């Protein structure tokens, strides 16, 4: 039932690699109508290793820029970069009910998740792919050539995305709300056919009926008057 999923996390180590089950989970969420946003990685000074889940297809991967709109030195530069957002000296709300200044593509991803949530609130019928294209097409300060690995298509512009979204025809793919439960049923599982249990229950029931009938017949056959037993 989630409209937007923020993943301010990732593995951008030298051993980072795609995980089929993780990719399947991302694709499942997208199929159900959830926009998936992830941090592009903080390996800009450590080799720009690919970060997952940012690199999975369909994910909005967010890079970080400073107060002047320039790429933050730590921000990973890779082909999957979608848009950029503030990631240097960002005021962050902490679970301990305090605020502090932080940095990273995680903060930038949270900013873009908020932008995606505003777009979905204004245009709930838009699909994750439409929201992603909106953020790309309406981004400000686009790099030379329209896109690069440092900042994607440019600096995210929520207001422009909302305005432009009104011109699109929604594909009417809604999030998979699942009653009052917090989560949906998850990926469909292959049902295993249990042939033994399939015939065991009917057989047991039939046997029980047969025994009952036999008992009734015997009981009725033995119902004699007391004097019938006298010699």
């Amino acid at each position: 039932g989630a409209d937007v999923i923020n993943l301010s996390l990732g593995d951008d180590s030298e051993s980072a690699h795609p995980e089929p089950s993780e990719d399947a989970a991302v694709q499942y969420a997208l199929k159900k109508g959830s926009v998936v946003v992830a941090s592009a990685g903080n390996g800009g000074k450590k080799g720009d290793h690919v970060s997952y889940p940012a690199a999975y297809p369909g994910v909005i991967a967010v890079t970080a820029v400073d107060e002047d709109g320039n790429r933050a030195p730590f921000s990973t530069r890779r082909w999957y970069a979608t848009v950029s957002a503030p990631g240097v000296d960002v005021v962050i709300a902490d679970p301990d009910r305090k605020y502090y200044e932080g940095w990273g593509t995680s903060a930038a991803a949270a900013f873009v998740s908020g932008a995606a949530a505003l777009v979905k609130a204004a245009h709930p019928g838009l699909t994750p792919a439409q929201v992603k294209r909106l953020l790309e097409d309406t981004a400000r300060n686009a790099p030379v050539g329209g896109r690069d690995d440092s900042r994607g298509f440019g600096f995210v512009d929520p207001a422009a995305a909302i305005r432009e979204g009104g011109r699109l025809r929604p594909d009417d793919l809604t999030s998979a709300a699942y009653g009052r439960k917090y989560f949906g049923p998850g990926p469909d599982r292959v049902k295993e056919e249990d042939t033994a249990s399939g015939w065991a229950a009917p057989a047991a029931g039939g046997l029980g009926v047969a025994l009952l009938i036999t008992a009734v017949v015997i009981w009725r056959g033995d119902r004699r008057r007391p004097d019938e037993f006298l010699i």
Side-chain angles (χ1 to χ4, degrees), residues 3-43:
D3 291 312
V4 180
I5 298 175
N6 176 74
L7 297 172
S8 287
L9 50 86
D11 180 10
D12 58 1
S13 64
E14 293 184 6
S15 61
H17 61 279
E19 292 284 353
S21 60
E22 190 176 63
D23 187 13
V26 170
Q27 302 311 315
Y28 175 78
L30 293 170
K31 181 181 177 182
K32 292 298 183 178
S34 299
V35 178
V36 180
V37 183
S39 49
N42 297 330

Side-chain angles (χ1 to χ4, degrees), residues 21 79 173 177:
S21 60
W79 53 268
L173 176 62

Side-chain angles (χ1 to χ4, degrees), residues 164-186:
E164 188 64 24
R167 303 176 184 178
L168 294 180
R169 179 181 179 182
D171 288 342
D172 295 323
L173 176 62
T174 56
S175 57
Y178 196 63
R180 293 186 176 182
K181 296 183 179 180
Y182 288 104
F183 300 100

Side-chain angles (χ1 to χ4, degrees), residues 16-106:
H17 61 279
E19 292 284 353
S21 60
E22 190 176 63
D23 187 13
V26 170
Q27 302 311 315
Y28 175 78
L30 293 170
K31 181 181 177 182
K32 292 298 183 178
S34 299
V35 178
V36 180
V37 183
S39 49
N42 297 330
K45 295 181 179 180
K46 302 176 182 179
D48 286 317
H49 298 296
V50 176
S51 180
Y52 296 94
Y56 291 125
V59 175
I60 299 175
V62 186
T63 63
V65 295
D66 60 20
E67 61 273 16
D68 296 321
N70 299 317
R71 182 188 73 87
F74 58 79
S75 185
T76 297
R77 293 165 289 190
R78 276 290 176 172
W79 53 268
Y80 52 75
T82 305
V83 290
S84 62
V88 178
D89 297 332
V90 177
V91 177
I92 300 173
D94 193 73
D96 64 3
R97 298 178 180 274
K98 295 180 180 180
Y99 294 92
Y100 66 95
E101 283 190 355
W103 60 271
T105 56
S106 289

